[in-house]
Amino acid sequence: MFGLITAASLFGLLLILTFLRFRKRQFSAVRNSRSFLLTYPSWLWRTTADLFKNEGRKKAVRHFSDWLKLSYPREQRWIFFTLAGSFSYLVLSGMVPAVGGLRLSGIFLVLHVFFGSLFALSLGAVVVLRARFYRFDEKSPDDKTSTSGLRLCAAFWIFTLCGLTQILTALSLMLPLFALSVEIDIFRAHEYSGLVALLSAIAFFYLSFFEENHG
Amino acid sequence: MKKKFIYLILFFPLVVDGSTLLCQQKTKAWDGSRTTPVHLIQLRDEFDQLIVPTLPYPLPYSTRFTCAPCHDYELINQGLHFNASSSPEDGRPGEPWVWVEPKTGTILPLSYHNWPGVWNPEDVGLSPWNFTLLFGRHMAGGGVGEPSEEVSPESRWNVSGKLEINCMACHNASRIQSHSEWAKQVLRQNFRWAATAASGLGEVGGMASRLPDTWDIIDGPNPDDTEWAVVPYVRYKTWHFDSQHRVFFDISGEPDDSRCLTCHSVSRAGSKKFTAVEDVHSAAGKECVDCHRNDISHNMIRGYEAEYAGYGREDAAEFTCQGCHMGRNLARKSRSETGRLGAPYPRHRGIPAVHFERLSCTVCHAGFRPAKSPVRVRTSRANRLGIYGIARWSTEMPYIFEPVYLKDSSGKIHPHRLMWPAFWGLSDGEKITLLPPSDIRQAGGDILYAEEQVVRILTALALYAELEGIPVFVARGKAYEPNVDGRLDVSSLVPQPLRADTWWGVKKEGKISPLIPQFDPKSEESEAGVEEIILSVLDALEKMEEVPGPPALLCRDVLYVIKDGYLEKKPAPRKAKDYPELVWVVKEGTMPLVSNFQVRTVVSTVGTEYTLTEEQVKLILDSLSRQKKNSASSPSSFFFYVSGGRMFRLGPEGDLISLKHRAAGPVVWPLAHHVRPAQQSLGSSGCRDCHSANSSFFFHKVRAVGALKIQNPVKISGHSLMGLSKPYQKLFGLSFRLRPLLKTALFISATVIGTVVFLLFLLSIGKLSGLIEKRR
C-alpha cells in the first residue's frame, strides 16, 4: 500500500510541477486547450532530455551553484550538505525497502539511525538559520534571493514539519513509552511523514531552481 | 498341557464375547454437563472377563476392556501420546527418545517421527519390543507398546502381554498412582500387569523377564518355582471392591499437572528441588490441560503457532501465546478483543515491531535467560527422572542444554533445547548405517571394561582379603574405590607413600596406606607380618574368575606366589622395582593386575562426564575394521564414531582422525515452557539485554559434549545457530552504546525545530488577531 501511495504521489507531484511550469512558459504560444495538452508530453520529453545533455547538466549545476551561493554563506554550506546528504541516505535506505514491502535491517539500519541524528541536527540548524527567509507575509531581508514565493515557503515549512515528525517518531520509537499497537501507528507516521518530506523537498528544489530563480 | 487346555476352554467363549462388546462402542456426544461421571466400574481382564479379586490367580485389569464400554479405545490410541509410529503428520520437532548406553558411548536420539537429526528406531534395529523395553518406563502405553503383530525374534509379547494404554497414568486423581511402580513393572517385562500395579489397585509380584519364551498367560502360575522364575501375579486390594466387584476410580477428566510432569519435567542439572523454576502460568494457577486440550480423540493441542497455520487445526489457534494474550489481532485497538480468559494484553512498550516478526514469544519469555553458555538441564524422559527406589534411576547422560536459538522453517527464531548425539556407524558414500551398542560391545570386548577390571579386583580384595579398611586403587595421585553401583568413585589427590605411579592401597579413617607395605624381602625381621598380608591378598585375588593367570607379588628380585595354600618365594623373572607390585603370572613372565591401557582409561574417564577415550575408540574402530575385512562390504566404506560434534574414523595410517560431518551435528527441538513473567523477560531491562557487543543472546557458546573425551570439541556460537552475521551483530550491539547520544541529538533538534515552529505559529496567530502589526 505504502509503495503504491509513494509511487503515485511522486508521479503526481512531478506531473503537477512540470505541468505548472509548462503552462507558465507555453500558455501564450498555444491557443486552444486540446493542442495545449497534446504539446505537453513532447515538451516534457524535450526538457527532460535537455537535462541529460552536456549543456543541460552544466545549466543545472550552474543554477544549483547560484542558488547555494545566494542561500548559504560559505561557512554555512556544510550544514546544507549535511542535511542534503543525510536526507538522501534516509530516503534511499528508508523508502526503497518500504516501497518494496521489505524491512530496513542490517548495516543499513545502523546507518539509518546514525544519519537520522545528523539529519535532525542539520535540520535544526537550517531552520534556525533560514526560517526568516521563508516567512509567508514578508519579503526576504536578503533582497538578492527571491524565496518569498508562497509555494516555496509552503514547501520549506512542510519539509520542516515533516522533519520534526520524523524526529519525534524516531525518538519515541527509541523510548519505552508506547505499547506495540501505538508503536505500529507511530511507525506508519514515520513512513508517511518521510514520504511527505521527500515530496516537499522535491517541490522546494524544483521551485527554487525552475520557478523562482530561473523560471 | 492339560492345564493349558483348561484355560483355553475357560477363556474362549469370553474372548468371543469381548469382541462383540467392542462392536457396541460408540462415541457419545457431550451432554453439556461439565462434571466428571463417577467411575464406579467393574474391572475386566484382557479376555474381557469380569475380575473377581477373591478368585485365585486373578488377571490384571485391561484398560482396553475396562474402559472400552464408554470410551473408544482405538480412537484414543490414535491420540498424540500414542500415535508416533502411526501418525502421518510429524508436527513440530519435539523431544526425542534418547538411547543412552554409557559403556559404548552411545547417545542416540530416536523418534518414529521424521524430525531432523533423529533416527528412526528401526534404523538401529530396535523392534517395537526393544523400544518398549527401553522407553516403556516413560511411555503412556498403547501405540508402539501394543503392536497388532510383531514377529521379531527377540520379542516376548506372549510372555509380557501388551503394554496397553495406561489411562490412569494421566487420569488418576489419587496420589497412590505410582509412576515408579509402572517403570519397575515395565523393566520386569510385566507389561500387562504394569497398569494394575501403578494404579495401586493391587500388588504385583513375579517377573515375566525370568520366564521362558514359551510361557503364555494361559499357562498360569508355576507352583514349582516360587523364588526365581515366579510367574507375575496380582493380589488385588479387596477393600477397593464393592459387593458387585466394582471399583471406584478417582478419575480426573482434566489431569493434574503432576501427572504431566511425570514425563515432562525439565530441571536445571545439579540444582536443588526448592530452587526449581516454575512456569508463570502454573504459578498463576493454570494447569497444563488448560492450554493442552483434547477431546476423546486425545489429539492434544500442542500450542505452537504453526500447529494452527501449518496443520489447519482451527481449534489450536486460540491456545497459542498470541491466541490467549492478544487474540488474533496483533495491534489490538479495543478492549473487547481480549484473548482467552482475558489474559493480560502485552503492551511491549518500546520494543520495535520487527521483533514480533522475527522472534517467537518464547524467545524472550521462556526457558532460562541466555548466558555465556547454555544451562544444562535434565528431562524426565531423557534422564529417567521421577523413578524412585533403592537404585538410582536418573542418569547424567544425555547432556541437554538450553536455551539455544534457531530459526524455524518460516524464518522465525525460537528457543530450543540441544543435545549432541554419539553413536557408532558404518559410512558408505552418503549412506550411514548405525551400529547397535551390542555390536560395539562385541567388537570392543575388554577394551570397554577397564573400570570394571579395577572394580573386580577391589571387590575381591574387599570380600576375601580381610583388610582393616576399604581397598583402593591409586593412580596418578588419585584414589579410586568401588561404590554400590559397581562403579568407581574417585577422590582427590592423595599423598604418595610409594614412588609408584599406580598402587593398591587400603583406606582407613580417611587415610590411604599401601595394601602391602614396602619391605625388604631379604630382611628376616619385617617379613613375618608382611607375608601374612601378602598371603591374604594373593588368596583373595586367586578367587577371581577369568584372570590371565595366578596372582603373585613382585618385590625386587623375589616373586611371591601361593602354592598349596602357602606362600612360596621364587626368583623374580624380571628385574623388579623397589616397591611391592601385584602381578599376574603369565606364560611370558608377569603382567600388572591392571594394564597401562586400563590405567589410562580409568584415569581419563572415572569421575568425569566421559565414558570413552580416543584410545578406546581407535582400538574399537580397529577391531571393527578387521571384522569388515572378513566381510563383503564395500572397500570405500569405513566405520566411524560420532561424539562431541565430530566424526572419528581411522586414517590411512591407522591413526584416529576427526572430521566435521552433518551426522555429528546437534539435535534440537523447540522449548516453550518455564515461561517467565514480563519483568523477567528479555528486553525488560532495555535493548542491551540482547543488543550489546558481548551479548549472551547472540554470542553464547555451545560446546559439544559427548561420551568421548576429546581435545578439541566443536564449539558453536549463538549467532551461527541463528544464521546471523557476527560482525554485524557486534556492530549493531556497539551502536547501542551511542544510542543515548543519538537520543539526545534528536531531542535537542526536536526542541529547537519545535520552538521555531511554535514561534511561527504564535506569530501567525498574533498577526491574524491583530495583536502584532505587519511590518511595512
Side-chain angles (χ1 to χ4, degrees):
Chain A
M1 186 64 185
F2 180 73
L4 253 164
I5 293 172
T6 305
S9 54
L10 278 171
F11 182 71
L13 178 76
L14 290 172
L15 208 66
I16 290 166
L17 288 173
T18 52
F19 188 76
L20 288 174
R21 184 161 178 244
F22 167 72
R23 197 176 62 174
K24 190 175 175 184
R25 298 192 124 199
Q26 305 289 322
F27 193 72
S28 53
V30 183
R31 290 295 166 200
N32 63 60
S33 59
R34 191 161 176 273
S35 59
F36 179 85
L37 283 173
L38 286 172
T39 325
Y40 169 66
S42 58
W43 172 86
L44 185 61
W45 176 256
R46 212 173 46 247
T47 315
T48 312
D50 281 349
L51 272 178
F52 293 94
K53 285 178 185 163
N54 204 18
E55 198 181 328
R57 268 207 310 276
K58 278 181 183 167
K59 196 177 167 190
V61 170
R62 199 170 58 246
H63 286 177
F64 177 72
S65 178
D66 292 346
W67 174 83
L68 197 63
K69 279 176 192 164
L70 286 169
S71 304
Y72 291 91
R74 184 178 291 274
E75 64 277 9
Q76 289 176 11
R77 276 179 205 164
W78 63 272
I79 298 171
F80 168 77
F81 283 118
T82 309
L83 179 68
S86 58
F87 184 68
S88 304
Y89 176 77
L90 293 174
V91 166
L92 281 174
S93 63
M95 298 290 271
V96 172
V99 166
L102 302 170
R103 178 73 71 179
L104 174 60
S105 63
I107 191 73
F108 300 109
L109 175 61
V110 177
L111 292 175
H112 190 86
V113 174
F114 174 73
F115 280 111
S117 304
L118 280 185
F119 169 77
L121 289 171
S122 52
L123 180 64
V126 166
V127 167
V128 169
L129 295 171
R130 300 288 300 166
R132 61 203 158 106
F133 299 109
Y134 300 101
R135 292 173 65 168
F136 289 100
D137 57 337
E138 293 179 18
K139 284 236 171 210
S140 163
D142 183 354
D143 284 338
K144 283 182 281 183
T145 60
S146 49
T147 54
S148 57
L150 194 65
R151 287 179 194 152
L152 200 61
C153 287
F156 177 85
W157 286 110
I158 290 171
F159 182 79
T160 304
L161 280 172
C162 289
L164 180 63
T165 312
Q166 291 270 287
I167 295 165
L168 288 174
T169 50
L171 189 61
S172 60
L173 287 172
M174 285 184 178
L175 298 171
L177 295 175
F178 302 104
L180 176 64
S181 51
V182 182
E183 281 196 351
I184 291 171
D185 294 338
I186 292 174
F187 187 73
R188 289 272 143 71
H190 190 76
E191 280 183 333
Y192 282 101
S193 60
L195 173 61
V196 178
L198 174 64
L199 296 174
S200 57
I202 291 169
F204 179 84
F205 280 103
Y206 193 90
L207 294 169
S208 296
F209 299 153
F210 299 113
E211 293 289 316
E212 301 298 330
N213 293 344
H214 313 281
Chain B
M1 185 64 198
K2 189 181 170 185
K3 196 165 57 182
K4 263 188 185 176
F5 181 72
I6 293 168
Y7 268 85
L8 205 62
I9 294 288
L10 272 171
F11 289 132
F12 181 71
L14 303 174
V15 173
V16 173
D17 183 41
S19 64
T20 331
L21 214 156
L22 265 176
C23 299
Q24 293 167 1
Q25 288 178 4
K26 54 186 172 185
T27 308
K28 293 168 188 161
W30 179 45
D31 69 354
S33 169
R34 298 187 63 191
T35 58
T36 303
V38 173
H39 282 67
L40 188 62
I41 50 178
Q42 292 175 328
L43 301 185
R44 308 192 82 85
D45 62 27
E46 66 186 81
F47 301 104
D48 201 14
Q49 170 70 9
L50 173 71
I51 290 173
V52 180
T54 47
L55 286 181
Y57 193 62
L59 294 181
Y61 86 94
S62 155
T63 50
R64 178 180 279 275
F65 291 102
T66 303
C67 310
C70 301
H71 305 293
D72 189 340
Y73 186 93
E74 290 303 336
L75 180 65
I76 294 168
N77 208 7
Q78 296 303 311
L80 181 71
H81 283 93
F82 319 105
N83 69 359
S85 60
S86 60
S87 172
E89 285 178 359
D90 296 310
R92 184 170 88 160
E95 180 182 349
W97 295 99
V98 187
W99 188 4
V100 176
E101 233 265 357
K103 190 49 65 189
T104 57
T106 302
I107 307 171
L108 191 63
L110 300 168
S111 177
Y112 285 102
H113 289 297
N114 187 22
W115 290 335
V118 302
W119 298 86
N120 190 297
E122 287 165 12
D123 294 340
V124 71
L126 277 182
S127 63
W129 166 259
N130 283 327
F131 189 85
T132 308
L133 269 186
L134 274 173
F135 303 115
R137 54 182 166 78
H138 278 96
M139 280 162 57
V144 75
E146 199 184 9
S148 54
E149 190 181 358
E150 192 203 337
V151 288
S152 60
E154 72 280 7
S155 66
R156 283 162 50 90
W157 296 108
N158 60 313
V159 182
S160 65
K162 301 282 174 69
L163 195 68
E164 290 182 354
I165 293 174
N166 185 10
C167 308
M168 300 302 281
C170 301
H171 292 287
N172 198 347
S174 166
R175 294 282 157 197
I176 203 168
Q177 180 70 32
S178 168
H179 177 68
S180 303
E181 191 63 33
W182 167 268
K184 188 170 84 179
Q185 298 303 334
V186 167
L187 290 168
R188 288 177 174 180
Q189 296 183 9
N190 295 346
F191 291 173
R192 59 163 62 90
W193 290 269
T196 304
S199 67
L201 286 173
E203 290 172 51
V204 171
M207 289 191 200
S209 58
R210 290 178 179 174
L211 299 180
D213 293 348
T214 52
W215 185 85
D216 193 284
I217 187 74
I218 57 171
D219 292 343
N222 178 8
D224 298 332
D225 193 342
T226 55
E227 288 195 355
W228 175 252
V230 179
V231 170
Y233 59 87
V234 55
R235 284 197 197 103
Y236 284 102
K237 295 170 185 168
T238 49
W239 59 87
H240 286 305
F241 293 78
D242 67 8
S243 61
Q244 297 172 52
H245 312 303
R246 295 182 304 179
V247 169
F248 169 63
F249 281 103
D250 190 359
I251 291 287
S252 142
E254 294 176 352
D256 187 68
D257 279 5
S258 64
R259 295 276 167 256
C260 309
L261 291 173
T262 301
C263 296
H264 298 289
S265 285
V266 180
S267 298
R268 188 181 194 132
S271 64
K272 293 191 186 299
K273 191 176 181 183
F274 74 92
T275 62
V277 290
E278 195 176 8
D279 191 293
V280 68
H281 297 107
S282 303
K286 290 192 74 65
E287 299 202 58
C288 306
V289 292
D290 287 336
C291 298
H292 299 291
R293 299 185 175 206
N294 60 273
D295 58 8
I296 188 64
S297 71
H298 284 61
N299 199 6
M300 195 165 278
I301 291 170
R302 292 178 65 191
Y304 58 95
E305 283 168 23
E307 190 176 28
Y308 159 62
Y311 294 95
R313 284 198 64 171
E314 283 290 334
D315 57 346
E318 60 180 305
F319 293 101
T320 59
C321 308
Q322 189 181 323
C324 262
H325 287 278
M326 305 180 112
R328 295 191 190 183
N329 183 8
L330 190 69
R332 186 185 63 157
K333 296 291 181 192
S334 84
R335 278 187 166 276
S336 61
E337 294 175 58
T338 56
R340 198 168 185 84
L341 293 176
Y345 183 83
R347 304 191 70 81
H348 290 126
R349 287 179 195 276
I351 299 179
V354 64
H355 290 77
F356 305 94
E357 290 167 16
R358 294 187 181 170
L359 309 176
S360 70
C361 307
T362 45
V363 165
C364 301
H365 290 278
F368 294 97
R369 283 177 73 100
K372 286 291 161 203
S373 55
V375 171
R376 187 160 77 80
V377 295
R378 299 204 294 175
T379 75
S380 289
R381 293 192 294 140
N383 301 94
R384 302 200 311 209
L385 310 182
I387 305 172
Y388 307 107
I390 296 169
R392 184 188 165 93
W393 283 89
S394 62
T395 58
E396 290 303 318
M397 285 200 280
Y399 306 112
I400 297 172
F401 299 91
E402 75 163 72
V404 294
Y405 302 92
L406 285 98
K407 286 179 184 167
D408 67 4
S409 54
S410 71
K412 215 169 193 181
I413 294 172
H414 294 257
H416 286 68
R417 296 202 172 96
L418 172 148
M419 63 161 281
W420 297 91
F423 56 87
W424 298 83
L426 176 68
S427 173
D428 191 356
E430 284 295 302
K431 190 184 168 201
I432 282 180
T433 310
L434 296 185
L435 299 178
S438 54
D439 286 8
I440 305 307
R441 279 197 300 273
Q442 196 181 357
D446 289 344
I447 298 166
L448 292 168
Y449 295 95
E451 185 180 358
E452 282 73 6
Q453 174 66 4
V454 177
V455 171
R456 282 177 65 215
I457 293 167
L458 291 173
T459 307
L461 292 171
L463 288 174
Y464 309 117
E466 297 170 7
L467 304 173
E468 292 179 353
I470 303 162
V472 294
F473 175 60
V474 180
R476 315 266 163 87
K478 288 186 177 176
Y480 299 86
E481 60 181 280
N483 61 28
V484 288
D485 295 326
R487 307 284 305 275
L488 290 174
D489 283 339
V490 60
S491 58
S492 54
L493 289 165
V494 296
Q496 293 282 327
L498 296 179
R499 276 179 294 160
D501 195 32
T502 62
W503 47 278
W504 301 88
V506 182
K507 187 177 175 184
K508 191 180 173 187
E509 294 168 359
K511 287 186 178 173
I512 297 173
S513 52
L515 185 65
I516 297 164
Q518 195 149 14
F519 68 99
D520 182 0
K522 289 175 183 166
S523 162
E524 295 294 326
E525 290 171 11
S526 61
E527 209 172 338
V530 173
E531 278 191 356
E532 201 176 311
I533 300 170
I534 296 170
L535 184 63
S536 161
V537 167
L538 294 184
D539 189 44
L541 295 174
E542 203 166 42
K543 289 190 171 67
M544 287 175 64
E545 290 175 358
E546 294 178 27
V547 291
L553 181 83
L554 199 57
C555 190
R556 293 185 185 169
D557 51 356
V558 179
L559 184 74
Y560 292 83
V561 291
I562 293 179
K563 192 173 183 189
D564 302 329
Y566 294 96
L567 202 62
E568 188 181 79
K569 287 166 77 169
K570 284 182 174 179
R574 62 177 166 89
K575 184 161 171 58
K577 289 155 187 159
D578 283 346
Y579 51 84
E581 186 187 2
L582 284 165
V583 292
W584 303 114
V585 179
V586 290
K587 205 183 282 181
E588 299 81 19
T590 62
M591 61 181 281
L593 291 192
V594 180
S595 69
N596 286 335
F597 161 72
Q598 287 167 330
V599 172
R600 283 195 299 274
T601 306
V602 165
V603 169
S604 297
T605 57
V606 174
T608 72
E609 61 201 15
Y610 308 107
T611 61
L612 287 178
T613 63
E614 289 190 18
E615 188 177 12
Q616 282 177 299
V617 170
K618 180 181 172 302
L619 291 170
I620 293 169
L621 288 175
D622 262 337
S623 169
L624 287 166
S625 301
R626 278 198 301 276
Q627 288 175 15
K628 190 185 104 179
K629 277 176 191 163
N630 302 328
S631 69
S633 53
S634 152
S636 64
S637 65
F638 60 88
F639 288 99
F640 66 84
Y641 176 60
V642 155
S643 183
R646 290 183 182 279
M647 177 183 270
F648 294 84
R649 59 170 293 191
L650 293 180
E653 308 295 322
D655 51 334
L656 191 68
I657 56 170
S658 76
L659 48 141
K660 286 191 176 176
H661 192 279
R662 60 181 164 78
V667 175
V668 294
W669 59 96
L671 67 90
H673 280 296
H674 290 162
V675 175
R676 302 191 304 273
Q679 293 86 344
Q680 293 172 359
S681 60
L682 279 183
S684 59
S685 312
C687 308
R688 292 178 73 181
D689 274 4
C690 296
H691 298 298
S692 64
N694 54 356
S695 157
S696 295
F697 179 76
F698 289 110
F699 308 118
H700 63 263
K701 294 270 184 200
V702 189
R703 189 179 68 96
V705 289
L708 176 63
K709 186 176 186 177
I710 51 178
Q711 300 296 327
N712 53 345
V714 167
K715 278 185 185 171
I716 306 182
S717 187
H719 66 83
S720 60
L721 281 169
M722 287 183 260
L724 301 173
S725 150
K726 184 178 181 179
Y728 169 68
Q729 292 302 336
K730 283 267 180 200
L731 182 70
F732 193 60
L734 276 171
S735 77
F736 279 80
R737 286 182 178 247
L738 293 174
R739 282 278 169 119
L741 205 65
L742 301 181
K743 287 175 194 171
T744 311
L746 291 180
F747 183 77
I748 291 170
S749 306
T751 310
V752 169
I753 300 165
T755 308
V756 174
V757 171
F758 186 62
L759 280 175
L760 183 78
F761 175 72
L762 287 182
L763 210 61
S764 306
I765 294 285
K767 281 174 183 169
L768 276 173
S769 63
L771 290 171
I772 302 173
E773 284 185 19
K774 287 185 182 178
R775 274 194 240 164
R776 301 277 172 200

